[in-house]
Amino acid sequence: MCSRNWEVKVVIVGGGTAGWWTAGCLEHNFPDWDITLIESKDIPIVGVGESTVPQIGNFLSNIGIEDSHWLANSNALKKYGNRKINWRKSGDDNFDWTFWYNYNKKFEGWAQKFRKGEVDLDSLNDFYDPNDWSGYAYHVDAFEMGRMVKDHCKNVKHVYATLTEKPEADLVFDCSGFAARFVEDKTKQHYPHTIIDRAFVGPHEPRDDLPMVTQSIGRDYGWQFIVKLKNRVGVGYVYSSRHVSDEDAYKEFEEMIDEGGFVPMGLPSEANSYNDKHMFFKWEPHALTNPWSGNVVAIGTTAGFIDPLEANALFHIQHGIETFVKCWKRGYGKKTYNKAVRISWNNTVDLMKHHYALSDRDDTEFWRYWDCCREECRQSVWDNYEKRHNLETNLYPSSIWATMAAYFDEWKRAPF
Ligand SMILES: Cc1cc2nc3c(=O)[nH]c(=O)nc-3n(C[C@H](O)[C@H](O)[C@H](O)COP(=O)(O)OP(=O)(O)OC[C@H]3O[C@@H](n4cnc5c(N)ncnc54)[C@H](O)[C@@H]3O)c2cc1C
């Protein structure tokens, strides 16, 4: 380990959420650094109406932006959990998941009672504490998330340019999105069973009648999300291209829009448009094996993107930059950083896999695909809960693994 007190010249490439969050966090932690952010006016940023986990509020608060301020000055809303719909064969047992941490091992006591039939599944949400910091998360607009941090930054130089060559700097933060423009080591980790790789998404007229939870609805070849903001509702269909063509997926998506009574608002000029109502995204699910290589650190979708289920992408931005700051301050280098980031992706990949494989749906090829690992996931879900619910190492509040285990696993295997 060594101390690193010299002034560092940093260039951040990209002005989406990843770029500005990186700028805000570096400025806050290293006030003497010379930081420039360069973004292209011609390459749009990604913004779909994002669902998040509670930690996002801590990240912004730590850099000096309190949620009382940004909630009042943006289209973001608080959300109080996630609602799973149509993830079971029976189709009639929706379940709301709240956010909580397993302080004082209270979940273990509940689990014993649940196994004896003394409490029902819904009572799991009694752990929810509206006064705890983790009691709620947010629905946000990624465009605003970046701009809000931009307005907060005092000393970050901001330049518009479309770069074709890596800029000169001691450290370059590549936040250029899916293009991963200046990553030095492009070696990718591909994970088995990450088959979600396409999405149609669009903004729809605002609705007062929707609950303040993220709705994730199991569909024929993936799942639909509904993310309510003040000024619009983000509705999307995220699917597996190996099981349905884009044309058929879009037809299915249009049916969802009609069925839900959503009214498309049309697209802002920056969007990745499929037509005048909806955007289209495709990606290769992966994470970089070495997100910090040479003098380039990849953050955001540059570093990886697997599946937006359970609101993980903005958290990976937070985790990526906070982990960099910790490593730098403690004198740790790339090896430690890359290992820590890989662990966070492993957590996400496992969570995604368990979500699909623990469902008992078998009505389409997409759902039957998960026969490959249903039994394995039933065996591993409780181990994962135990390994991954603690505050230090886990992305997701304890409640997410715990309720997934209780809801999907039907308590077939005694957990404790
Ligand atoms: C379907 C879908 C659903 C999602 N749902 C969620 C969700 O519910 N929750 C969540 O947390 N996240 C979600 N995300 C992810 C989230 O929207 C993105 O991770 C987030 O917006 C961050 O994007 P980014 O900053 O990494 O990249 P981008 O927003 O793509 O920004 C890239 C930036 O780099 C710039 N750039 C690119 N090339 C150059 C160049 N050569 N020179 C200069 N500048 C350049 C661009 O101009 C832009 O400013 C979802 C994503 C998708 C696709």
Side-chain angles (χ1 to χ4, degrees):
M1 292 201 288
C2 58
S3 79
R4 294 159 159 169
N5 293 325
W6 67 89
E7 182 185 299
V8 175
K9 181 175 182 222
V10 168
V11 174
I12 299 164
V13 183
T17 316
W20 282 110
W21 283 22
T22 299
C25 190
L26 292 180
E27 179 183 89
H28 178 79
N29 283 284
F30 306 110
D32 297 334
W33 284 16
D34 173 2
I35 305 170
T36 303
L37 184 146
I38 302 175
E39 67 175 306
S40 169
K41 278 191 174 167
D42 303 321
I43 304 170
I45 72 167
V46 174
V48 299
E50 279 75 11
S51 173
T52 65
V53 287
Q55 291 93 317
I56 298 297
N58 295 349
F59 172 76
L60 293 168
S61 163
N62 287 344
I63 64 172
I65 309 175
E66 295 303 332
D67 72 1
S68 52
H69 168 76
W70 63 265
L71 280 166
N73 292 291
S74 71
N75 286 302
L77 287 170
K78 284 185 184 175
K79 71 161 197 178
Y80 297 93
N82 298 344
R83 177 167 295 167
K84 288 280 174 304
I85 302 169
N86 282 346
W87 284 75
R88 304 290 298 266
K89 208 180 215 169
S90 55
D92 57 0
D93 49 358
N94 301 339
F95 190 67
D96 286 343
W97 299 13
T98 49
F99 302 115
W100 41 264
Y101 280 94
N102 189 22
Y103 303 124
N104 306 322
K105 294 204 168 272
K106 57 189 176 180
F107 174 70
E108 280 73 350
W110 179 91
Q112 303 289 359
K113 288 190 184 155
F114 182 72
R115 285 168 56 214
K116 290 183 202 153
E118 292 170 10
V119 291
D120 64 11
L121 189 58
D122 280 325
S123 68
L124 193 48
N125 288 325
D126 295 346
F127 292 154
Y128 163 66
D129 174 359
N131 298 316
D132 188 58
W133 69 269
S134 69
Y136 60 89
Y138 313 90
H139 283 169
V140 303
D141 174 335
F143 292 82
E144 292 182 334
M145 284 280 113
R147 284 174 198 154
M148 180 175 63
V149 178
K150 172 184 168 188
D151 293 344
H152 181 77
C153 288
K154 301 282 178 292
N155 299 313
V156 174
K157 284 165 255 170
H158 182 205
V159 176
Y160 284 109
T162 303
L163 297 179
T164 51
E165 288 184 12
K166 190 176 94 171
E168 288 292 322
D170 298 316
L171 281 171
V172 173
F173 285 83
D174 187 341
C175 305
S176 62
F178 287 118
R181 195 65 185 75
F182 300 112
V183 163
E184 300 222 331
D185 178 354
K186 293 190 190 290
T187 313
K188 293 172 178 170
Q189 300 204 111
H190 290 103
Y191 303 87
H193 314 305
T194 48
I195 59 172
I196 292 287
D197 60 354
R198 297 275 200 281
F200 289 108
V201 193
H204 298 81
E205 294 287 347
R207 292 257 297 261
D208 290 334
D209 59 324
L210 298 174
M212 273 325 304
V213 294
T214 306
Q215 298 189 64
S216 306
I217 308 174
R219 294 295 184 181
D220 286 357
Y221 304 103
W223 56 281
Q224 175 192 358
F225 64 80
I226 301 175
V227 173
K228 172 180 168 168
L229 301 174
K230 284 180 201 154
N231 66 338
R232 65 177 200 268
V233 183
V235 184
Y237 180 33
V238 184
Y239 60 94
S240 155
S241 66
R242 70 167 83 171
H243 293 107
V244 64
S245 68
D246 297 331
E247 291 71 25
D248 287 346
Y250 189 69
K251 279 186 206 142
E252 200 190 343
F253 181 50
E254 284 190 305
E255 285 165 18
M256 295 170 208
I257 300 297
D258 286 348
E259 175 197 303
F262 295 107
V263 180
M265 292 172 77
L267 291 173
S269 57
E270 294 174 275
N272 295 278
S273 51
Y274 179 72
N275 55 29
D276 59 356
K277 293 185 288 200
H278 296 120
M279 296 175 266
F280 175 61
F281 294 96
K282 61 178 177 180
W283 63 93
E284 179 193 2
H286 76 279
L288 292 176
T289 307
N290 295 306
W292 182 357
S293 62
N295 70 337
V296 180
V297 185
I299 305 281
T301 41
T302 311
F305 189 70
I306 305 287
D307 176 333
L309 190 65
E310 293 309 317
N312 65 81
L314 293 193
F315 182 78
H316 276 289
I317 296 175
Q318 169 180 359
H319 181 264
I321 187 61
E322 284 181 339
T323 303
F324 172 83
V325 168
K326 274 188 212 155
C327 284
W328 191 272
K329 286 186 172 174
R330 294 174 190 176
Y332 294 119
K334 293 167 201 165
K335 201 170 158 200
T336 306
Y337 177 81
N338 290 333
K339 188 173 170 201
V341 173
R342 278 198 299 271
I343 289 172
S344 72
W345 286 112
N346 289 343
N347 282 349
T348 290
V349 167
D350 271 345
L351 187 76
M352 306 293 118
K353 184 172 83 172
H354 281 77
H355 260 91
Y356 299 110
L358 289 176
S359 165
D360 58 357
R361 281 189 63 166
D362 58 3
D363 49 314
T364 65
E365 282 302 313
F366 171 77
W367 290 103
R368 284 191 289 277
Y369 168 88
W370 297 101
D371 289 347
C372 63
C373 41
R374 289 188 207 273
E375 196 45 46
E376 170 205 325
C377 286
R378 286 203 176 111
Q379 297 299 323
S380 55
V381 63
W382 290 107
D383 297 338
N384 274 297
Y385 162 73
E386 295 217 11
K387 257 194 323 211
R388 291 182 166 149
H389 75 83
N390 76 72
L391 266 171
E392 277 301 309
T393 56
N394 184 23
L395 301 189
Y396 303 100
S398 320
S399 59
I400 294 190
W401 275 102
T403 50
M404 178 172 63
Y407 175 57
F408 283 123
D409 193 39
E410 297 169 3
W411 231 258
K412 285 192 175 121
R413 181 167 167 264
F416 304 105

